[in-house]
Amino acid sequence: MKMNYCSPELPVSDVETAMAALRLLGFKEAWTYEEGFGCMFAGDDIEIFLRKSEDPQPVVLYFKVDDADEFYEKYQQHAEIVKPISETPWGMREFEGRVVDGHVFRIGHGTGGEDRRKTVS
């Protein structure tokens, strides 16, 4: 048995407003369904569902990218930076930006060395 993909679903107060905010960050609209559901994508493997909620509770999503510094420049213009870009003890260069309805996107890239997924137990 193998899992192949995960599509997070973000609860948002307004789907259209959330889509507009994500467009500024480089996401593209995949589809909408009525007023309460939509989907955004970025690149080949990033897909986020947006679901209208009366009380959206913020979540954190982590995105591994090729160049976090490049994303940081864009996010400074269109999101609230809650943690500036820095190098971590676990071998990543990353930052955190609050994007819509309190949701936080952590964005980072590896700084070299071995694949940590194979060494963490």
Side-chain angles (χ1 to χ4, degrees):
M1 181 165 55
K2 177 185 171 192
M3 289 186 187
N4 295 306
Y5 190 74
C6 176
S7 297
E9 183 177 293
L10 295 181
V12 296
S13 57
D14 182 81
V15 172
E16 284 302 318
T17 300
M19 290 180 130
L22 293 180
R23 275 188 213 100
L24 292 173
L25 299 173
F27 286 80
K28 297 190 183 339
E29 181 178 332
W31 50 263
T32 57
Y33 180 72
E34 298 178 348
E35 291 181 19
F37 204 60
C39 179
M40 301 293 284
F41 67 92
D44 294 332
D45 295 322
I46 306 296
E47 178 180 63
I48 298 175
F49 295 145
L50 303 167
R51 177 184 38 83
K52 182 172 175 58
S53 171
E54 296 302 319
D55 184 27
Q57 298 299 307
V59 299
V60 177
L61 298 180
Y62 194 97
F63 297 90
K64 191 169 183 185
V65 299
D66 290 337
D67 185 349
D69 293 279
E70 193 174 305
F71 278 83
Y72 188 66
E73 293 302 315
K74 178 173 263 193
Y75 275 63
Q76 285 183 80
Q77 298 170 25
H78 302 292
E80 175 192 353
I81 301 300
V82 293
K83 182 180 172 212
I85 196 158
S86 63
E87 302 223 359
T88 68
W90 49 89
M92 298 296 289
R93 181 161 175 77
E94 61 186 36
F95 70 94
E96 296 180 10
R98 187 170 290 116
V99 295
V100 64
D101 285 316
H103 299 298
V104 173
F105 288 180
R106 284 180 61 199
I107 297 175
H109 70 257
T111 56
E114 60 189 279
D115 185 342
R116 303 269 183 214
R117 293 173 293 181
K118 296 176 183 174
T119 60
V120 176
S121 54

